[in-house]
PDB file of all heavy atoms in Angstrom:
ATOM      1  N   PRO Y 292      38.183 -85.041  30.288  1.00 85.00           N
ATOM      2  CA  PRO Y 292      38.029 -86.011  31.327  1.00 85.00           C
ATOM      3  C   PRO Y 292      38.266 -87.403  30.862  1.00 85.00           C
ATOM      4  O   PRO Y 292      37.326 -88.113  30.604  1.00 85.00           O
ATOM      5  CB  PRO Y 292      36.541 -85.761  31.749  1.00 85.00           C
ATOM      6  CG  PRO Y 292      35.895 -85.150  30.575  1.00 85.00           C
ATOM      7  CD  PRO Y 292      36.925 -84.491  29.793  1.00 85.00           C
ATOM      8  N   VAL Y 329      36.213 -86.996  24.942  1.00 91.00           N
ATOM      9  CA  VAL Y 329      35.218 -85.988  25.202  1.00 91.00           C
ATOM     10  C   VAL Y 329      35.882 -84.704  25.711  1.00 91.00           C
ATOM     11  O   VAL Y 329      36.846 -84.748  26.505  1.00 91.00           O
ATOM     12  CB  VAL Y 329      34.217 -86.423  26.298  1.00 91.00           C
ATOM     13  CG1 VAL Y 329      33.232 -85.306  26.691  1.00 91.00           C
ATOM     14  CG2 VAL Y 329      33.404 -87.630  25.794  1.00 91.00           C
ATOM     15  N   VAL Y 331      35.452 -81.027  27.473  1.00 94.00           N
ATOM     16  CA  VAL Y 331      34.473 -80.223  28.316  1.00 94.00           C
ATOM     17  C   VAL Y 331      34.960 -78.824  28.397  1.00 94.00           C
ATOM     18  O   VAL Y 331      36.156 -78.549  28.592  1.00 94.00           O
ATOM     19  CB  VAL Y 331      34.371 -80.861  29.697  1.00 94.00           C
ATOM     20  CG1 VAL Y 331      33.477 -80.036  30.569  1.00 94.00           C
ATOM     21  CG2 VAL Y 331      33.809 -82.345  29.618  1.00 94.00           C
ATOM     22  N   GLN Y 338      28.448 -74.865  31.303  1.00 96.00           N
ATOM     23  CA  GLN Y 338      29.413 -75.734  30.688  1.00 96.00           C
ATOM     24  C   GLN Y 338      28.784 -76.589  29.578  1.00 96.00           C
ATOM     25  O   GLN Y 338      27.532 -76.690  29.514  1.00 96.00           O
ATOM     26  CB  GLN Y 338      30.032 -76.686  31.732  1.00 96.00           C
ATOM     27  CG  GLN Y 338      29.162 -77.885  32.141  1.00 96.00           C
ATOM     28  CD  GLN Y 338      29.975 -78.865  32.945  1.00 96.00           C
ATOM     29  OE1 GLN Y 338      30.612 -78.476  33.955  1.00 96.00           O
ATOM     30  NE2 GLN Y 338      29.968 -80.088  32.571  1.00 96.00           N
ATOM     31  N   ASN Y 340      29.841 -79.967  26.560  1.00 96.00           N
ATOM     32  CA  ASN Y 340      30.805 -80.921  26.193  1.00 96.00           C
ATOM     33  C   ASN Y 340      30.550 -81.496  24.783  1.00 96.00           C
ATOM     34  O   ASN Y 340      29.457 -81.325  24.253  1.00 96.00           O
ATOM     35  CB  ASN Y 340      30.891 -82.091  27.211  1.00 96.00           C
ATOM     36  CG  ASN Y 340      29.695 -82.914  27.275  1.00 96.00           C
ATOM     37  OD1 ASN Y 340      29.236 -83.559  26.206  1.00 96.00           O
ATOM     38  ND2 ASN Y 340      29.037 -82.990  28.418  1.00 96.00           N
TER      39      ASN Y 340
HETATM   40  C1  NAG X  19      28.039 -83.900  28.628  1.00 62.36           C
HETATM   41  O1  NAG X  19      26.754 -83.200  28.576  1.00 62.36           O
HETATM   42  C2  NAG X  19      25.654 -84.060  28.926  1.00 62.36           C
HETATM   43  C3  NAG X  19      24.425 -83.227  28.725  1.00 62.36           C
HETATM   44  O2  NAG X  19      24.631 -81.895  29.037  1.00 62.36           O
HETATM   45  C4  NAG X  19      25.784 -84.491  30.304  1.00 62.36           C
HETATM   46  O3  NAG X  19      24.727 -85.357  30.591  1.00 62.36           O
HETATM   47  C5  NAG X  19      27.115 -85.291  30.449  1.00 62.36           C
HETATM   48  O4  NAG X  19      27.325 -85.707  31.802  1.00 62.36           O
HETATM   49  C6  NAG X  19      28.258 -84.504  30.037  1.00 62.36           C
HETATM   50  N1  NAG X  19      29.530 -85.252  29.998  1.00 62.36           N
HETATM   51  C7  NAG X  19      30.609 -84.866  30.555  1.00 62.36           C
HETATM   52  C8  NAG X  19      31.783 -85.773  30.480  1.00 62.36           C
HETATM   53  O5  NAG X  19      30.749 -83.754  31.165  1.00 62.36           O
END
Side-chain angles (χ1 to χ4, degrees):
V329 174
V331 176
Q338 80 166 54
N340 68 58

